[in-house]
Amino acid sequence: MNTQASIKAFDEAQTYIPGGVNSPVRAFKSVGGTPLFITEGKGGTMTDIDGNSYVDYVQSWGPLIFGHRDESIENAVIEAVRHGLSFGAPTQAETELAHEVVSIFDSIDKVRFVSSGTEAVMSAIRLARGFTAKDDIVKFEGCYHGHSDSLLVQAGSGLATFGNPSSPGVPADFTKHTLLAKYNDLSSVEKCFKDSDNIACIIIEPIAGNMGLVPADKEFLHGLRKLCDEHGALLIFDEVMSGFRATLHGAESITGVTPDLVTLGKVIGGGMPVGAFGGRKEVMAMLSPEGPVYQAGTLSGNPIAMAAGLAAVSKLKKNARLYPILQERAERLVNGLKAAAQKNGIAMVTDVRGSMFGFFFSESPVKNFDDAAQADHALFAKFHAAMLNEGFYFACSGYETGFISTATTDAMVDDTIKAAEKIFAEVK
Ligand SMILES: *Cc1c(COP(=O)(O)O)cnc(C)c1O
């Protein structure tokens, strides 16, 4: 496969953009090689500037559940563009999308739109702190909630509960209110509540997608709900990735655990920059201008972004039967990959939630970040490069979730499995 034009484009990009990319994971650092520059997408595939075409299992890192250039989303955007790009005044599209979100999520009475998942989570946490009049938050190792200061934490030395900044530029003072717990380990959360009587909220990806796909156990989530209720803390489900991806009605509908606040992003913008956070009326009433907790955005609820989001979400709502179909197709993919790996003596564990799929080169089940880290990531890097060369675009890290879209066909899945069989025989 010839990727000369991408190599040249990346070289030039690095002259003007730090690392040549506007979001670090795109740089392919954890798998090596050069990122591909994309010119266009169509349905389940996309094409790079050298003219190579790929079956796309990244789908813009989640947003494109209907694949590239979905006709109804594209038309909605074009129609909206004709009326003006932004007004900084209310438009009815905001109310319409809000109405859809409220009707879909049992736990959401009111919702506020922002422009990214990072912003949604940052604002939801401020709201939880304002509502409870407490300062500390609990987050889990391996969960990603965007790049705001207080969420860029890593485990401290020894058994410390309080996290350290995971990036230079974040003062330790900004993360001293962030307690770290272990995913799927209730005792680690109980310890947080022993260490602090000042906990405003627990934030969790109920279906973690940022350490690979690692869903939380139901009992664990029920345990979190109970701890929050006992201690007057709020439970925030960060569904920026899993929202509208795993199922239509949110993780609450498959776990039976009701969060106080939900954060959304990715699919909710249909490919445009949208984030959202919503929850119970009493909590949302604390938000400015109704209440005292400040939050704002010049381009929040942008009419073009709302049009794309509304087209995507209303189409999902009308076609909820899509989810079992997507789930079946994702299972076909991971079961095929797993069988191909096994045939060559390579151990693999897999999981699927709706249109989200994950696999680890691991012999033991993956329940938390430590488990995900012990998987064979060197083998993943080889697999990634070889699959790319065959025309299959997987996320460029072993800690990412894969996505299929409604435009990903069974034939594409079968071709993927066939290519993987060949590659496993070579790399084993
Ligand atoms: C992607 C993601 C975010 C951040 O969203 P951005 O739009 O990239 O800022 C937050 N939380 C989760 C769970 C995510 O997957």
Side-chain angles (χ1 to χ4, degrees):
M1 181 173 286
N2 178 12
T3 58
Q4 283 310 310
S6 277
I7 291 168
K8 191 160 165 274
F10 188 47
D11 204 45
E12 193 181 1
Q14 284 174 291
T15 311
Y16 305 108
I17 300 170
V21 292
N22 284 305
S23 196
V25 72
R26 295 178 199 165
F28 275 33
K29 275 213 157 162
S30 68
V31 288
T34 307
L36 300 167
F37 279 61
I38 304 301
T39 49
E40 64 180 330
K42 184 74 194 138
T45 63
M46 60 183 187
T47 308
D48 69 16
I49 55 175
D50 287 282
N52 305 304
S53 159
Y54 305 87
V55 172
D56 181 12
Y57 290 115
V58 178
Q59 296 291 339
S60 187
W61 301 93
L64 308 181
I65 194 165
F66 293 110
H68 297 274
R69 296 200 59 190
D70 174 75
E71 214 181 302
S72 50
I73 298 174
E74 192 167 292
N75 288 340
V77 166
I78 291 168
E79 176 59 26
V81 164
R82 292 208 170 105
H83 291 91
L85 296 183
S86 180
F87 310 111
T91 60
Q92 283 184 307
E94 295 161 75
T95 313
E96 284 174 52
L97 184 54
H99 182 224
E100 290 288 44
V101 171
V102 167
S103 75
I104 288 169
F105 284 80
D106 281 347
S107 66
I108 299 182
D109 296 328
K110 285 190 181 179
V111 61
R112 162 92 25 112
F113 294 115
V114 293
S115 299
S116 70
T118 295
E119 241 187 299
V121 173
M122 186 184 83
S123 309
I125 284 175
R126 183 179 304 147
L127 183 57
R129 284 173 162 157
F131 183 79
T132 58
K134 293 176 182 175
D135 294 333
D136 293 342
I137 63 174
V138 176
K139 91 169 274 284
F140 295 91
E141 283 176 84
C143 284
Y144 176 68
H145 304 291
H147 67 94
S148 68
D149 284 341
S150 65
L151 290 163
L152 288 183
V153 291
Q154 63 194 1
S157 55
L159 294 171
T161 306
F162 290 82
N164 297 328
S166 62
S167 164
V170 178
D173 271 0
F174 287 21
T175 58
K176 72 179 184 197
H177 293 293
T178 308
L179 287 71
L180 264 187
K182 200 167 178 172
Y183 203 73
N184 278 324
D185 179 349
L186 201 59
S187 67
S188 73
V189 187
E190 283 162 353
K191 180 172 183 303
C192 291
F193 281 99
K194 272 194 202 103
D195 290 354
S196 167
D197 55 7
N198 193 25
I199 294 175
C201 64
I202 297 177
I203 179 151
I204 186 168
E205 289 180 75
I207 301 167
N210 287 291
M211 50 174 147
L213 178 59
V214 183
D217 296 332
K218 247 191 217 181
E219 310 72 59
F220 173 65
L221 292 176
H222 277 280
L224 296 184
R225 179 69 273 173
K226 199 158 159 265
L227 280 172
C228 282
D229 292 344
E230 284 167 7
H231 296 273
L234 300 189
L235 180 60
I236 306 178
F237 276 3
D238 182 354
E239 295 220 65
V240 168
M241 185 189 291
S242 58
F244 306 106
R245 263 284 168 195
T247 175
L248 181 61
H249 301 283
E252 60 197 77
S253 70
I254 44 180
T255 60
V257 177
T258 306
D260 299 289
L261 288 169
V262 179
T263 56
L264 296 164
K266 298 188 172 120
V267 171
I268 200 175
M272 295 292 286
V274 181
F277 61 104
R280 292 206 317 270
K281 227 178 258 152
E282 316 86 86
V283 182
M284 294 306 285
M286 285 294 283
L287 196 61
S288 184
E290 218 175 311
V293 176
Y294 192 67
Q295 189 277 329
T298 301
L299 290 170
S300 291
N302 171 269
I304 316 304
M306 292 293 103
L310 187 59
V313 170
S314 55
K315 190 162 155 176
L316 286 169
K317 195 177 155 194
K318 273 186 225 122
N319 297 285
R321 65 189 161 74
L322 281 174
Y323 288 95
I325 298 169
L326 287 165
Q327 165 110 12
E328 212 173 290
R329 197 163 297 145
E331 273 165 4
R332 183 189 183 99
L333 175 65
V334 295
N335 291 342
L337 292 179
K338 189 174 178 171
Q342 259 166 1
K343 214 185 284 179
N344 291 288
I346 296 168
M348 194 186 253
V349 297
T350 65
D351 219 323
V352 165
R353 287 293 182 283
S355 61
M356 303 166 73
F357 68 86
F359 57 90
F360 292 97
F361 294 112
S362 168
E363 282 173 21
S364 42
V366 174
K367 287 285 184 191
N368 56 45
F369 183 69
D370 292 341
D371 296 345
Q374 62 74 42
D376 191 342
H377 291 276
L379 178 57
F380 176 84
K382 277 191 216 166
F383 172 79
H384 178 269
M387 286 303 280
L388 206 54
N389 197 45
E390 297 286 325
F392 301 92
Y393 193 94
F394 284 89
C396 50
S397 154
Y399 295 100
E400 299 291 346
T401 292
F403 303 100
I404 61 163
S405 72
T406 57
T408 311
T409 62
D410 278 344
M412 289 176 194
V413 166
D414 292 345
D415 288 347
T416 309
I417 296 165
K418 220 177 287 165
E421 266 170 16
K422 187 179 121 187
I423 284 158
F424 286 139
E426 285 165 13
V427 299
K428 72 174 170 186

